[in-house]
């Protein structure tokens, strides 16, 4: 039996060719963060360790989420000799995944090409059935939807994941850490550290680092009781805690809890908690095919009718209309 391929943890003598598949609305920051470490590694090593090509569905230029366009080197209609292929996506990945991309990815897999994904490119690999039985990650905005949609994938909330011959990352600057880690595996820590310093990147973050700040840091909160309450809310979205239980677990009286939320957020704890749950619902509506009733349950609502009323009041539209949006992207999660 042919051994299962793995991302190698040993020096590779011949240059590797990496194909980056880009689709409309891909993240330019994440793409550049993945390519630049390869360029710098070549320069510092004094020889060509890596080559890279840009691939699009039709071989033409593709516009990123920031409005800038990138010219592709190849389309998907020809055979490419590559050692590693990375799917780069961003907003609305479901709009750009089709049979042609599925066939291209599964064809590479049949040739034992290592496969990776940046940001919501992980959805592409999962839709193609190429992450079943693997650990993988994606951007935090889509992670709940990813976990719900692909139960055969072990979804991880870290910056990036390397599992055998699959390499996935959350996007953004996590792509930089992922590629620096790959360089370290294949050509040694000293080269990866030297490349990292070229980007004024003083620490190569490990894969287990969190994608998001802790809730208190994100909100600029220093009060220990309020900090605990914020963390408890984010940890209990599907089965919300009532105000009394929340206050008790945070080491506060109910009156103290209410005063702190009014002082810091000008709203009640209930309103803040409801906003968190509705933000989760919005992400599930935009990134998954779950039924509205399933999303209601996953967001802590007792009934679809209650969920629909709350969502309409909050977003100004019914949950079903959220899926018929004309512009990509998820509203910033400020809570």
């Amino acid at each position: 039996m042919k051994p299962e391929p793995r991302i190698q943890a040993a020096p590779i003598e011949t240059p590797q060719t990496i194909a980056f598949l880009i689709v409309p609305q891909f993240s330019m920051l994440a793409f550049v963060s993945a390519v630049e470490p390869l360029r710098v590694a070549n320069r510092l090593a004094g020889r060509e360790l890596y080559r890279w090509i840009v691939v699009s569905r039709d071989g033409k230029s593709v516009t990123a989420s920031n409005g800038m366009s990138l010219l592709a080197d190849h389309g998907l209609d020809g055979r490419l000799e590559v050692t590693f292929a990375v799917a780069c996506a961003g907003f609305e990945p479901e709009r750009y995944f089709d049979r042609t991309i599925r066939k291209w990815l599964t064809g590479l897999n049949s040739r034992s090409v290592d496969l990776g994904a940046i940001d919501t490119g992980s959805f592409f690999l999962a839709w193609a059935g190429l992450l079943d039985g693997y650990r993988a990650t994606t951007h935090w905005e889509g992670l709940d939807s990813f976990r719900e949609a692909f139960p055969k994938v072990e979804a991880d909330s870290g910056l990036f994941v390397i599992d055998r011959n699959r390499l996935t990352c959350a996007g953004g600057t996590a792509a930089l850490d992922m590629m620096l880690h790959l360089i370290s595996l294949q050509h040694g820590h000293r080269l990866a550290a030297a490349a990292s310093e070229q980007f004024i990147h003083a620490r190569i973050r490990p894969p287990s680092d969190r994608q998001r700040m802790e809730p208190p840091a994100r909100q600029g909160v220093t009060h220990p009781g309020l900090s605990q309450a914020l963390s408890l809310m984010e940890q209990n979205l599907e089965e919300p805690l009532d105000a009394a239980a929340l206050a008790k677990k945070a080491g506060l009286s109910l009156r103290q809890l209410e005063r702190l939320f009014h002082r810091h957020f000008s709203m009640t704890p209930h309103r803040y908690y409801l906003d968190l749950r509705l933000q989760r619902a919005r992400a599930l509506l935009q990134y998954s095919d779950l039924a509205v009733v399933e999303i209601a349950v996953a967001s802590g609502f007792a009934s679809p009718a209650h969920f629909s009323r709350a969502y309409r009041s909050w977003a100004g539209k019914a949950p079903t209309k959220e899926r018929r949006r004309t512009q990509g992207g998820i509203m910033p999660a400020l809570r």
Side-chain angles (χ1 to χ4, degrees):
M1 180 181 292
K2 187 175 181 179
E4 186 172 19
R6 295 175 183 270
I7 301 292
Q8 296 189 43
I12 297 173
E13 296 303 321
T14 56
Q16 291 191 78
T17 301
I18 301 176
F20 289 92
L21 169 65
I22 57 173
V23 298
Q25 300 195 74
F26 75 98
S27 168
M28 183 67 78
L29 172 62
F31 170 79
V32 172
S33 293
V35 172
E36 282 297 283
L38 307 178
R39 176 189 66 81
V40 171
N42 286 349
R43 182 172 70 85
L44 295 177
R47 61 190 180 94
E48 189 176 47
L49 304 177
Y50 299 99
R51 299 169 183 165
W52 50 92
I53 57 175
V54 179
V55 181
S56 69
R57 193 183 184 286
D58 57 7
K60 297 179 181 178
S61 63
V62 177
T63 302
S65 58
N66 65 359
M68 298 175 69
S69 294
L70 185 64
L71 185 63
D73 302 304
H74 299 278
L76 301 184
D77 53 353
R79 180 185 173 98
L80 298 176
E81 296 301 326
V82 300
T83 51
F84 184 29
V86 183
C88 306
F91 294 133
E92 300 184 289
E94 72 283 357
R95 286 187 60 187
Y96 307 109
F97 182 78
D98 58 19
R99 292 179 182 177
T100 300
I101 290 177
R102 180 193 296 271
K103 182 179 178 181
W104 187 73
L105 291 171
T106 55
L108 291 172
N109 182 60
S110 69
R111 290 158 45 197
S112 297
V113 173
D114 295 335
L115 297 174
I118 291 174
D119 205 315
T120 58
S122 299
F123 281 80
F124 282 20
L125 296 186
W127 281 323
L130 298 173
L131 288 180
D132 290 355
Y134 286 86
R135 290 173 56 246
T137 193
T138 189
H139 192 280
W140 62 265
E141 283 185 321
L143 191 58
D144 282 340
S145 302
F146 187 82
R147 187 175 283 117
E148 295 280 353
F150 307 111
K152 294 181 181 180
V153 182
E154 187 180 341
D156 190 291
S157 60
L159 289 180
F160 62 92
V161 174
I162 297 178
D163 185 0
R164 289 159 285 170
N165 60 332
R166 299 289 186 267
L167 199 157
T168 56
C169 86
T173 58
L176 174 62
D177 297 283
M178 179 179 76
M179 286 306 193
L180 289 170
H181 191 76
L182 181 67
I183 292 166
S184 180
L185 284 175
Q186 296 179 338
H187 300 287
H189 174 74
R190 289 179 64 190
L191 179 61
S196 184
E197 286 195 315
Q198 290 292 309
F199 302 112
I200 322 300
H201 191 60
R203 171 177 170 261
I204 301 176
R205 294 176 294 176
S208 58
D209 263 22
R210 289 174 58 94
Q211 293 186 28
R212 302 190 73 186
M213 298 178 186
E214 293 288 349
R218 199 160 63 241
Q219 298 298 336
V221 168
T222 57
H223 188 286
L226 181 56
S227 296
Q228 180 68 3
L230 295 178
S231 296
L232 285 166
M233 285 179 172
E234 292 210 358
Q235 293 162 14
N236 295 276
L237 296 178
E238 189 166 340
E239 297 182 7
L241 300 169
D242 62 40
L246 184 65
K248 184 177 181 179
K249 286 179 178 288
L252 301 167
S253 69
L254 182 56
R255 188 180 182 111
Q256 285 176 313
L257 182 73
E258 291 173 342
R259 278 205 307 262
L260 286 167
F261 269 86
H262 275 292
R263 184 188 309 160
H264 286 270
F265 305 115
S266 300
M267 65 177 68
T268 65
H270 173 76
R271 179 72 253 179
Y272 184 99
Y273 209 169
L274 181 60
D275 282 357
L276 279 182
R277 291 158 52 208
L278 290 167
Q279 286 167 9
R280 184 187 202 193
R282 172 176 268 161
L284 290 171
L285 286 165
Q286 294 188 348
Y287 274 111
S288 79
D289 294 322
L290 291 175
V292 170
V293 64
E294 294 175 292
I295 292 173
V297 171
S299 305
F301 290 89
S303 71
H306 180 205
F307 168 62
S308 293
R309 287 194 301 271
Y311 196 89
R312 186 186 293 274
S313 175
W314 178 73
K317 66 180 83 171
T320 51
K321 293 288 182 66
E322 193 68 69
R323 285 184 161 155
R324 292 199 291 268
R325 66 201 184 285
T326 57
Q327 293 182 344
I330 289 180
M331 292 294 289
L334 299 179
R335 300 285 180 237

